[in-house]
PDB file of all heavy atoms in Angstrom:
ATOM      1  N   LEU Y  10     128.056 109.410 129.521  1.00  0.00           N
ATOM      2  CA  LEU Y  10     127.019 108.781 128.688  1.00  0.00           C
ATOM      3  C   LEU Y  10     126.163 107.801 129.485  1.00  0.00           C
ATOM      4  O   LEU Y  10     125.671 106.818 128.932  1.00  0.00           O
ATOM      5  CB  LEU Y  10     127.667 108.045 127.509  1.00  0.00           C
ATOM      6  CG  LEU Y  10     128.431 108.911 126.519  1.00  0.00           C
ATOM      7  CD1 LEU Y  10     129.165 108.041 125.519  1.00  0.00           C
ATOM      8  CD2 LEU Y  10     127.490 109.861 125.807  1.00  0.00           C
ATOM      9  N   GLY Y  11     125.992 108.066 130.758  1.00  0.00           N
ATOM     10  CA  GLY Y  11     125.252 107.156 131.631  1.00  0.00           C
ATOM     11  C   GLY Y  11     123.827 106.895 131.194  1.00  0.00           C
ATOM     12  O   GLY Y  11     123.290 105.816 131.408  1.00  0.00           O
ATOM     13  N   GLY Y  12     123.212 107.857 130.558  1.00  0.00           N
ATOM     14  CA  GLY Y  12     121.829 107.695 130.115  1.00  0.00           C
ATOM     15  C   GLY Y  12     121.650 106.649 129.038  1.00  0.00           C
ATOM     16  O   GLY Y  12     120.553 106.129 128.835  1.00  0.00           O
ATOM     17  N   PHE Y  13     122.722 106.306 128.356  1.00  0.00           N
ATOM     18  CA  PHE Y  13     122.664 105.272 127.323  1.00  0.00           C
ATOM     19  C   PHE Y  13     123.139 103.921 127.835  1.00  0.00           C
ATOM     20  O   PHE Y  13     123.087 102.933 127.110  1.00  0.00           O
ATOM     21  CB  PHE Y  13     123.491 105.682 126.106  1.00  0.00           C
ATOM     22  CG  PHE Y  13     122.936 106.869 125.387  1.00  0.00           C
ATOM     23  CD1 PHE Y  13     123.662 108.041 125.307  1.00  0.00           C
ATOM     24  CD2 PHE Y  13     121.684 106.821 124.787  1.00  0.00           C
ATOM     25  CE1 PHE Y  13     123.155 109.144 124.652  1.00  0.00           C
ATOM     26  CE2 PHE Y  13     121.173 107.921 124.134  1.00  0.00           C
ATOM     27  CZ  PHE Y  13     121.906 109.088 124.063  1.00  0.00           C
ATOM     28  N   GLY Y  14     123.631 103.847 129.053  1.00  0.00           N
ATOM     29  CA  GLY Y  14     124.067 102.584 129.638  1.00  0.00           C
ATOM     30  C   GLY Y  14     125.365 102.043 129.076  1.00  0.00           C
ATOM     31  O   GLY Y  14     125.663 100.860 129.231  1.00  0.00           O
ATOM     32  N   ILE Y  15     126.156 102.894 128.445  1.00  0.00           N
ATOM     33  CA  ILE Y  15     127.412 102.451 127.833  1.00  0.00           C
ATOM     34  C   ILE Y  15     128.349 101.842 128.872  1.00  0.00           C
ATOM     35  O   ILE Y  15     129.037 100.856 128.593  1.00  0.00           O
ATOM     36  CB  ILE Y  15     128.105 103.622 127.108  1.00  0.00           C
ATOM     37  CG1 ILE Y  15     127.179 104.267 126.073  1.00  0.00           C
ATOM     38  CG2 ILE Y  15     129.425 103.201 126.486  1.00  0.00           C
ATOM     39  CD1 ILE Y  15     126.701 103.326 124.989  1.00  0.00           C
ATOM     40  N   HIS Y  16     128.354 102.391 130.078  1.00  0.00           N
ATOM     41  CA  HIS Y  16     129.229 101.858 131.125  1.00  0.00           C
ATOM     42  C   HIS Y  16     128.872 100.421 131.485  1.00  0.00           C
ATOM     43  O   HIS Y  16     129.735  99.636 131.853  1.00  0.00           O
ATOM     44  CB  HIS Y  16     129.201 102.765 132.357  1.00  0.00           C
ATOM     45  CG  HIS Y  16     127.857 102.917 132.992  1.00  0.00           C
ATOM     46  ND1 HIS Y  16     126.814 103.587 132.381  1.00  0.00           N
ATOM     47  CD2 HIS Y  16     127.382 102.486 134.179  1.00  0.00           C
ATOM     48  CE1 HIS Y  16     125.758 103.572 133.182  1.00  0.00           C
ATOM     49  NE2 HIS Y  16     126.076 102.892 134.273  1.00  0.00           N
ATOM     50  N   LYS Y  17     127.611 100.054 131.360  1.00  0.00           N
ATOM     51  CA  LYS Y  17     127.192  98.671 131.637  1.00  0.00           C
ATOM     52  C   LYS Y  17     127.759  97.715 130.584  1.00  0.00           C
ATOM     53  O   LYS Y  17     128.204  96.617 130.904  1.00  0.00           O
ATOM     54  CB  LYS Y  17     125.669  98.552 131.662  1.00  0.00           C
ATOM     55  CG  LYS Y  17     125.008  99.327 132.780  1.00  0.00           C
ATOM     56  CD  LYS Y  17     125.324  98.706 134.117  1.00  0.00           C
ATOM     57  CE  LYS Y  17     124.511  99.376 135.205  1.00  0.00           C
ATOM     58  NZ  LYS Y  17     124.833  98.840 136.513  1.00  0.00           N
ATOM     59  N   PHE Y  18     127.732  98.145 129.322  1.00  0.00           N
ATOM     60  CA  PHE Y  18     128.286  97.308 128.255  1.00  0.00           C
ATOM     61  C   PHE Y  18     129.789  97.106 128.444  1.00  0.00           C
ATOM     62  O   PHE Y  18     130.301  96.016 128.207  1.00  0.00           O
ATOM     63  CB  PHE Y  18     128.006  97.923 126.882  1.00  0.00           C
ATOM     64  CG  PHE Y  18     126.555  97.884 126.486  1.00  0.00           C
ATOM     65  CD1 PHE Y  18     125.818  99.051 126.423  1.00  0.00           C
ATOM     66  CD2 PHE Y  18     125.938  96.696 126.177  1.00  0.00           C
ATOM     67  CE1 PHE Y  18     124.478  99.030 126.047  1.00  0.00           C
ATOM     68  CE2 PHE Y  18     124.595  96.645 125.799  1.00  0.00           C
ATOM     69  CZ  PHE Y  18     123.867  97.826 125.739  1.00  0.00           C
ATOM     70  N   ILE Y  19     130.498  98.142 128.885  1.00  0.00           N
ATOM     71  CA  ILE Y  19     131.934  98.056 129.114  1.00  0.00           C
ATOM     72  C   ILE Y  19     132.251  97.007 130.181  1.00  0.00           C
ATOM     73  O   ILE Y  19     133.220  96.267 130.068  1.00  0.00           O
ATOM     74  CB  ILE Y  19     132.512  99.435 129.533  1.00  0.00           C
ATOM     75  CG1 ILE Y  19     132.381 100.444 128.402  1.00  0.00           C
ATOM     76  CG2 ILE Y  19     133.953  99.323 130.009  1.00  0.00           C
ATOM     77  CD1 ILE Y  19     133.220 100.147 127.191  1.00  0.00           C
ATOM     78  N   LEU Y  20     131.394  96.930 131.205  1.00  0.00           N
ATOM     79  CA  LEU Y  20     131.616  95.969 132.289  1.00  0.00           C
ATOM     80  C   LEU Y  20     131.106  94.571 131.957  1.00  0.00           C
ATOM     81  O   LEU Y  20     131.298  93.644 132.739  1.00  0.00           O
ATOM     82  CB  LEU Y  20     130.939  96.467 133.571  1.00  0.00           C
ATOM     83  CG  LEU Y  20     131.549  97.705 134.206  1.00  0.00           C
ATOM     84  CD1 LEU Y  20     130.713  98.177 135.381  1.00  0.00           C
ATOM     85  CD2 LEU Y  20     132.969  97.428 134.643  1.00  0.00           C
ATOM     86  N   GLY Y  21     130.436  94.417 130.820  1.00  0.00           N
ATOM     87  CA  GLY Y  21     129.941  93.104 130.421  1.00  0.00           C
ATOM     88  C   GLY Y  21     128.527  92.814 130.863  1.00  0.00           C
ATOM     89  O   GLY Y  21     128.069  91.677 130.786  1.00  0.00           O
TER      90      GLY Y  21
END
Side-chain angles (χ1 to χ4, degrees):
L10 297 173
F13 294 117
I15 304 300
H16 61 292
K17 295 291 187 182
F18 291 110
I19 295 293
L20 292 174

